[in-house]
Amino acid sequence: MEEEPGTTPGPDGATVEECEDMIRRSFRTPMVKFLREHMGKAGCGVGEKFVKAVNCDKKIAGGYVRGEGIMVCSNHMITQDDVNQVVKHELIHAYDDCRAANLDWADCAHHACSEIRAGHLSGDCHYKRELLRGYMKLRGHEQDCVKRRVMKSVIANPYCSKAAAKDAMEAVWDVCYNDTQPFDRAP
């Protein structure tokens, strides 16, 4: 018999119920509030049900799916900060999807651009996070981190080979890394 969601945590993570509470708390953080507000201004409101806690089989923290919203993988979340990071990162993808009428997630360059922006603007690659991951480089760490994480994500796209992902990332890097919308500058 399958367990009811929210009754038992994943091997190392939160239950769906605990994660839903953390998602609600993330909605009160300044950056998530800012991103939700700008999604609304761009014509794509983000209600409470836009971000869902789910148990995931894959070793991912979460994801964004057009027309469905954001999923946060509760069984891979341990702290409030983990949830906040996933929500911020995925809201940037949702914002990109909202503002770009022609965004095609099967296009490696489009996917790479949104990943560059999400990695750069969400704080995924802050030096403290990198140190906790075991990456000790002090100079240029942020761009190296963004590139590493873009490659990991775009390679997982069934339409993008490793070579196509690398070519796409390099082709769009300057434009997408410097595109800080809806922020005035990278936070």
Side-chain angles (χ1 to χ4, degrees):
M1 190 166 127
E2 196 172 52
E3 294 279 344
E4 269 299 282
T7 57
T8 54
D12 300 309
T15 65
V16 168
E17 189 175 72
E18 291 166 339
C19 190
E20 286 170 347
D21 287 341
M22 288 191 274
I23 290 167
R24 280 190 286 279
R25 284 194 292 277
S26 79
F27 282 1
R28 296 192 299 261
T29 63
M31 186 183 241
V32 171
K33 279 183 183 176
F34 178 86
L35 287 166
R36 287 180 70 202
E37 177 186 324
H38 280 80
M39 287 278 298
K41 286 179 181 176
C44 302
V46 177
E48 295 283 325
K49 297 192 185 309
F50 188 77
V51 183
K52 301 169 206 71
V54 296
N55 279 314
C56 298
D57 295 330
K58 292 181 183 173
K59 217 31 187 144
I60 59 172
Y64 166 73
V65 178
R66 176 184 285 151
E68 294 180 31
I70 294 169
M71 64 168 188
V72 178
C73 297
S74 59
N75 51 321
H76 302 302
M77 298 294 107
I78 297 170
T79 67
Q80 181 67 50
D81 185 61
D82 293 338
V83 173
N84 294 349
Q85 271 312 118
V86 172
V87 171
K88 289 187 292 189
H89 181 102
E90 300 305 333
L91 276 172
I92 292 166
H93 289 316
Y95 177 81
D96 288 349
D97 202 28
C98 176
R99 75 178 179 145
N102 65 343
L103 196 147
D104 177 2
W105 292 101
D107 182 314
C108 303
H110 289 198
H111 186 170
C113 186
S114 190
E115 289 297 343
I116 290 165
R117 286 176 33 74
H120 178 50
L121 301 174
S122 69
D124 285 345
C125 292
H126 187 277
Y127 77 94
K128 288 179 185 173
R129 284 184 206 296
E130 280 291 87
L131 287 173
L132 291 171
R133 291 179 190 126
Y135 294 98
M136 306 297 248
K137 189 174 177 182
L138 295 176
R139 285 182 170 239
H141 80 275
E142 198 263 354
Q143 289 192 13
D144 288 351
C145 169
V146 171
K147 288 176 181 177
R148 185 181 72 247
R149 294 171 68 86
V150 167
M151 286 298 294
K152 186 176 178 184
S153 183
V154 179
I155 288 169
N157 182 330
Y159 299 98
C160 303
S161 66
K162 186 174 183 178
K166 188 173 191 315
D167 289 347
M169 179 183 68
E170 290 172 354
V172 300
W173 179 265
D174 289 338
V175 169
C176 299
Y177 189 82
N178 291 307
D179 177 0
T180 61
Q181 289 299 313
F183 305 96
D184 294 330
R185 58 182 173 77

